[in-house]
Amino acid sequence: MATKGITLTERSVLSAHTLVHLRRRVLDILFFHERCLQAATETDVHALRLAARHLQPVLDLLNLLVPNDRAVADAIRQVRGVLHHTNTLREEHVYRQAIDRLPGPAALRNALGQAALPKERSAAEHMRKRLSKLDREGLIGLAARNWP
């Protein structure tokens, strides 16, 4: 007779694997968060967004394994916030890359780039202000937590 769901052994292996990924992804997001607060380069913002996108499914799985956990729910909200607050600056970076790939005279590309610069700076400042409110201790506590 087939059993429904996963066995206790499968669940513990899944939990252990999830926790390893949780810790690794939290370290990634904290590292790139710090770098984005210092200098919001295109590479760092992209890496922070990538780290957040990689952390999301781990948190979703953890939320299924440990439902109604406030720390997990807070972390999910924090990661969504990171993606939301970096979105405008990432769009500006992509816009700048598109300008750099435009065919034609360099003077036109330079003029378009200079026109886009104030909006990019504004987006970077807005992102830094919002990201400075990230609950780093909450994410560290979640990753360092002694899970059952």
Side-chain angles (χ1 to χ4, degrees), residues 26-138:
V26 166
L27 286 174
D28 288 346
I29 205 166
L30 293 174
F31 176 77
F32 289 111
H33 171 260
E34 187 64 33
R35 289 186 61 160
C36 282
L37 289 178
Q38 294 171 4
T41 66
E42 186 273 331
T43 306
D44 292 337
V45 172
H46 177 66
L48 177 62
R49 290 180 57 79
L50 191 62
R53 283 196 311 268
H54 286 172
L55 182 57
Q56 271 184 323
V58 175
L59 291 172
D60 290 340
L61 182 57
L62 195 58
N63 194 34
L64 291 174
L65 293 171
V66 187
N68 301 323
D69 189 290
R70 177 177 233 155
V72 174
D74 288 345
I76 290 171
R77 190 171 50 259
Q78 294 276 338
V79 169
R80 285 181 185 156
V82 166
L83 289 171
H84 176 74
H85 298 311
T86 56
N87 191 45
T88 304
L89 182 57
R90 179 65 183 149
E91 287 176 359
E92 292 301 317
H93 287 154
V94 170
Y95 179 71
R96 173 156 317 249
Q97 290 172 351
I99 289 172
D100 292 342
R101 288 191 304 267
L102 281 175
L108 176 62
R109 286 192 303 273
N110 290 340
L112 288 171
Q114 288 300 317
L117 199 55
K119 195 171 178 184
E120 185 177 334
R121 286 183 182 149
S122 173
E125 187 57 37
H126 179 76
M127 182 203 69
R128 279 192 199 98
K129 186 172 22 171
R130 298 293 183 199
L131 285 184
S132 68
K133 297 177 183 176
L134 181 76
D135 182 16
R136 294 175 60 90
E137 289 78 22

Side-chain angles (χ1 to χ4, degrees), residues 9-23:
T9 305
E10 290 170 332
R11 184 182 173 122
S12 63
V13 168
L14 182 61
S15 298
H17 188 70
T18 302
L19 295 178
V20 167
H21 280 285
L22 171 71
R23 291 177 179 126

